Amino acid sequence: MPKRNTPLIIGVVAAVLALCLLGVCGVALGGVALFRARDGQQGQPAARPLPGPIGTTRELPREPAYSPPPVLPTTEAAPPPPPARIGQCIVVSVAGSFQGIGNCNGSSGTYRVVSVDYSRGSCADPGSAYLTERGYRLCLERHLVRLRCYRFPTGDGWIVGAPKCKAKGTVHIIDIVPGATNGNSCTRDQRWNRWYRFTNPTVVYCVMKY
């Protein structure tokens, strides 16, 4: 105990003894105990601070940089083979459905293919006949042969070959006049009884109709 407190303590003890003689000894001893307790706390810190954060020099593991998955090149499916090639003659039904490849000598095949387009764009001649088959647009022109027999539509429709020539309703091609507007230019060397004018392309057919 520090020396500077000794006289004070001696005085306190003497006072206690005097109080004990007067009957208040317990109160005085309590005061002495409190005094010693407070005196013993002198020089101690008032509170202990909470521990602060602990520093570290180790680097935390880094997350790998995000890398998007590679974009695979898309390849468009190859178009199917075209149903016909330019210059070929095809067989069609009365309703205009594709029936297959014919020939251009007049025995089968009444339309000749002038363009084949998988994108199905418009024909070079907007008024020409066309049909769509296997995703292709086939632009067509009529291909009729002199002295062959056909069936003409009564209105809008498709020309088809006649299974039997000179049957009722068939026409027998006698003459073909490209660019004509009427039958005045039809042949006089053979007999015919009717003419038909078509456009896209413009042509007159001089025929015997049965």
Side-chain angles (χ1 to χ4, degrees):
M1 182 178 299
K3 292 181 178 180
R4 58 186 177 86
N5 292 329
T6 299
L8 178 61
I9 293 173
I10 293 173
V12 171
V13 172
V16 169
L17 292 175
L19 290 173
C20 286
L21 295 177
L22 296 175
V24 291
C25 180
V27 177
L29 289 175
V32 172
L34 179 61
F35 178 83
R36 291 180 62 85
R38 294 183 58 186
D39 184 69
Q41 292 178 353
Q42 290 183 3
Q44 297 296 325
R48 178 180 294 176
L50 295 175
I54 301 174
T56 177
T57 57
R58 183 175 62 88
E59 293 186 1
L60 297 177
R62 294 183 180 179
E63 300 240 347
Y66 172 73
S67 178
V71 179
L72 299 177
T74 57
T75 57
E76 294 184 0
R85 299 190 305 272
I86 294 175
Q88 288 184 316
C89 294
I90 64 171
V91 182
V92 298
S93 68
V94 176
S97 62
F98 179 79
Q99 302 294 301
I101 305 297
N103 58 55
C104 296
N105 63 11
S107 61
S108 65
T110 52
Y111 291 87
R112 188 174 68 88
V113 180
V114 295
S115 69
V116 180
D117 185 8
Y118 189 63
S119 64
R120 288 174 285 182
S122 59
C123 298
D125 181 354
S128 67
Y130 69 87
L131 57 82
T132 301
E133 181 69 18
R134 300 182 198 169
Y136 288 89
R137 170 170 286 193
L138 306 180
C139 298
L140 311 168
E141 65 180 13
R142 285 176 305 279
H143 184 81
L144 306 183
V145 178
R146 189 178 281 105
L147 304 180
R148 293 289 186 178
C149 292
Y150 303 92
R151 286 189 177 273
F152 283 5
T154 55
D156 293 336
W158 297 75
I159 300 172
V160 297
K164 183 180 178 180
C165 200
K166 297 183 180 181
K168 185 177 181 180
T170 64
V171 295
H172 187 197
I173 304 294
I174 303 301
D175 195 14
I176 302 174
V177 187
T181 57
N182 52 49
N184 294 339
S185 300
C186 289
T187 181
R188 304 299 178 189
D189 298 332
Q190 299 183 57
R191 184 169 173 264
W192 51 272
N193 62 6
R194 188 164 297 187
W195 59 270
Y196 292 89
R197 177 178 179 267
F198 292 89
T199 57
N200 308 106
T202 300
V203 63
V204 167
Y205 294 104
C206 314
V207 307
M208 281 293 296
K209 183 173 181 181
Y210 299 99

